[in-house]
Amino acid sequence: MHNFEFIRPADQAAAIAAAAQSKTAQQGADVRFLGGGTTLIDLMKLNVETPARVLDINRLPLDKIEVTPDGGLKIGAMVRNSDVANHAKVQKDYSVLSQAILQGASAQIRNMATTAGNLLQRTRCIYFRDTAMACNKREPGSGCPAITGHNRTLAILGASEHCIATNPSDMCVALAALEATVHIQGPKGSRAVAFGDFHLLPGNTPHRETVLEPGDLITHLTLPAPISGSKQVYLKLRDRASYEFALASAAVVLTIASGKTTHARIALGGVGTKPWRSSEAEAALTGKPATEAIFRQAAEAALRDAKPQSENKFKIELARRCLIHALGMATAS
Ligand SMILES: Cc1cc2nc3c(=O)[nH]c(=O)nc-3n(C[C@H](O)[C@H](O)[C@H](O)COP(=O)(O)OP(=O)(O)OC[C@H]3O[C@@H](n4cnc5c(N)ncnc54)[C@H](O)[C@@H]3O)c2cc1C
Ligand code: SF4
């Protein structure tokens, strides 16, 4: 691992001021916040991330889960993934989030990983993690060998000619379906970003993954008040039952009245370049009978724009079946 300076900022303002010196908050940033380190330290060992300064923010007071005045939930940036998954209100009112977290990584990693760190985990594309290979995300303008190489696990939605990497997070798929908001404090003050606007499509700047600017510290997430009586399911399909990323996953939040879907929030994982909210599937479900025939139409709509790569055409049908099955599980529960 290369040399770097390790700093423990005294407070939030000091952390933001130190990070604001960096020329970018994205890939290649020379200043990095450290959460649980399960992404950052991994990538530093591989020389994929080479920050000059690492700011340990673990002692900042951002580690609480609190109910908001409107009945929603506020989750601090430093709350560990396991603490979110096992929180009583999350399990009761936002169970899709608990299910998604518990199907990711391992118990040890979930105990270390933080809420903000999970939002900013990097792709598992093998070329990105190998500095001997070209990669537009790691080294802008160098090329994308995945397009003609190994791309079985990569994206079928949202890709560009410059990058086809999948966003690997499970937690973020649930947060997309729950319509979370990301709260950020930066050198110019605080702002709130709707979850769907936080991650960026690769376009011709795949190294820019989020709307974060230098100095921006994620302070917390908020979830809107739960929808009474909603059925929630996270279904993850992968090559092995644990310690593996999704080939396809679906987060489903549904309310049914008199046999019809009155409210649907749908997001897909393992298939998109960002956590993939499907307004097409939501529109296909809302106001319609909660039947398998309608679930099939919703799954068709969700994958209509999918563009497979040479090795991952199977993901289109896999993702369809994943969503149909998740909808079936939600309505059967
Ligand atoms: C073997 C293995 C298997 C895994 N399997 C899965 C899986 O199946 N599903 C899944 O979803 N994930 C999986 N993961 C990924 C894991 O969930 C992430 O590594 C973890 O969530 C990252 O959180 P962290 O706190 O450790 O982040 P860190 O490594 O500390 O930080 C990640 C990034 O976030 C930035 N950052 C951290 N906090 C803040 C903040 N407050 N504001 C701004 N920037 C910040 C850091 O600078 C860094 O760039 C796996 C990881 C490993 C190592
Ligand atoms: S898919 Fe993206 S991350 Fe993978 S090699 Fe291409 S540019 Fe790099």
Side-chain angles (χ1 to χ4, degrees), residues 12 57-66 74-80 83-84 87 114-115 218-220:
Q12 229 157 278
I57 54 172
N58 279 279
R59 291 189 188 171
L60 299 185
L62 302 171
D63 58 351
K64 292 192 178 51
I65 302 181
E66 295 160 300
K74 174 179 174 184
I75 304 174
M78 303 310 293
V79 180
R80 306 290 150 175
D83 292 334
V84 177
H87 190 273
T114 61
T115 302
I218 297 174
T219 53
H220 60 281

Side-chain angles (χ1 to χ4, degrees), residues 30-54:
D30 50 3
V31 186
R32 276 285 195 229
F33 295 127
L34 177 71
T38 63
T39 286
L40 182 66
I41 303 294
D42 244 21
L43 293 176
M44 286 172 69
K45 287 182 192 161
L46 296 171
N47 283 326
V48 171
E49 294 263 17
T50 55
R53 274 187 285 171
V54 172

Side-chain angles (χ1 to χ4, degrees), residues 255-318:
T255 45
I256 314 277
S258 309
K260 286 190 175 168
T261 301
T262 51
H263 172 97
R265 293 292 177 266
I266 306 293
L268 302 177
V271 288
T273 50
K274 58 185 261 182
W276 202 262
R277 170 103 177 254
S278 178
S279 51
E280 297 85 354
E282 293 169 6
L285 292 164
T286 308
K288 311 267 175 50
T291 60
E292 190 171 329
I294 298 294
F295 298 165
R296 274 184 197 287
Q297 287 176 19
E300 288 294 333
L303 275 302
R304 192 160 292 139
D305 294 332
K307 291 196 177 52
Q309 305 298 327
S310 56
E311 294 180 344
N312 65 9
K313 191 170 176 210
F314 75 99
K315 276 194 176 190
I316 298 180
E317 185 55 22
L318 191 71

Side-chain angles (χ1 to χ4, degrees), residues 33 35-40 105 114 117-118 120-121 170 218 236 244-245:
F33 295 127
T38 63
T39 286
L40 182 66
T114 61
N118 196 315
L120 297 169
Q121 63 172 288
D170 291 300
I218 297 174
K236 176 176 179 180
E244 186 54 279
F245 293 87

Side-chain angles (χ1 to χ4, degrees), residues 41-323:
I41 303 294
D42 244 21
L43 293 176
M44 286 172 69
K45 287 182 192 161
L46 296 171
N47 283 326
V48 171
E49 294 263 17
T50 55
R53 274 187 285 171
V54 172
L55 306 173
D56 180 1
I57 54 172
N58 279 279
R59 291 189 188 171
L60 299 185
L62 302 171
D63 58 351
K64 292 192 178 51
I65 302 181
E66 295 160 300
V67 177
T68 56
D70 66 355
L73 207 61
K74 174 179 174 184
I75 304 174
M78 303 310 293
V79 180
R80 306 290 150 175
N81 287 179
S82 352
D83 292 334
V84 177
N86 295 316
H87 190 273
K89 188 166 169 70
V90 174
Q91 289 187 334
K92 176 171 167 280
D93 292 332
Y94 307 98
S95 75
V96 68
L97 179 57
S98 181
Q99 296 171 51
I101 293 172
L102 293 175
Q103 291 181 58
S106 65
Q108 292 86 346
I109 290 168
R110 296 192 295 267
N111 285 342
M112 290 296 292
T114 61
T115 302
N118 196 315
L119 260 55
L120 297 169
Q121 63 172 288
R122 312 298 305 274
T123 182
R124 310 306 286 199
C125 171
I126 54 169
Y127 303 102
F128 171 73
R129 295 171 67 85
D130 182 351
T131 55
M133 303 300 295
C135 169
N136 284 330
K137 192 182 271 300
R138 183 167 30 75
E139 223 177 295
S142 63
C144 175
I147 291 173
T148 50
H150 292 298
N151 50 43
R152 177 177 177 271
T153 60
L154 300 186
I156 53 173
L157 289 164
S160 76
E161 59 183 313
H162 302 285
C163 181
I164 57 170
T166 327
N167 181 294
S169 174
D170 291 300
M171 187 181 93
C172 289
V173 184
L175 291 172
L178 289 169
E179 301 185 296
T181 302
V182 185
H183 297 263
I184 299 163
Q185 202 175 338
K188 294 182 199 148
S190 306
R191 66 192 198 277
V193 178
F195 197 79
D197 298 331
F198 179 75
H199 295 95
L200 301 175
L201 291 171
N204 55 14
T205 53
H207 58 288
R208 267 189 68 80
E209 295 178 351
T210 68
V211 296
L212 292 181
E213 297 290 343
D216 279 348
L217 176 77
I218 297 174
T219 53
H220 60 281
L221 301 179
T222 49
L223 301 178
I227 295 150
S228 162
S230 69
K231 312 275 189 188
Q232 304 186 15
V233 166
Y234 185 74
L235 178 64
K236 176 176 179 180
L237 305 180
R238 46 190 154 168
D239 281 332
R240 56 182 179 189
S242 79
Y243 217 48
E244 186 54 279
F245 293 87
L247 286 170
S249 70
V252 165
V253 179
L254 283 186
T255 45
I256 314 277
S258 309
K260 286 190 175 168
T261 301
T262 51
H263 172 97
R265 293 292 177 266
I266 306 293
L268 302 177
V271 288
T273 50
K274 58 185 261 182
W276 202 262
R277 170 103 177 254
S278 178
S279 51
E280 297 85 354
E282 293 169 6
L285 292 164
T286 308
K288 311 267 175 50
T291 60
E292 190 171 329
I294 298 294
F295 298 165
R296 274 184 197 287
Q297 287 176 19
E300 288 294 333
L303 275 302
R304 192 160 292 139
D305 294 332
K307 291 196 177 52
Q309 305 298 327
S310 56
E311 294 180 344
N312 65 9
K313 191 170 176 210
F314 75 99
K315 276 194 176 190
I316 298 180
E317 185 55 22
L318 191 71
R320 280 194 200 115
R321 290 184 192 191
C322 183
L323 179 53

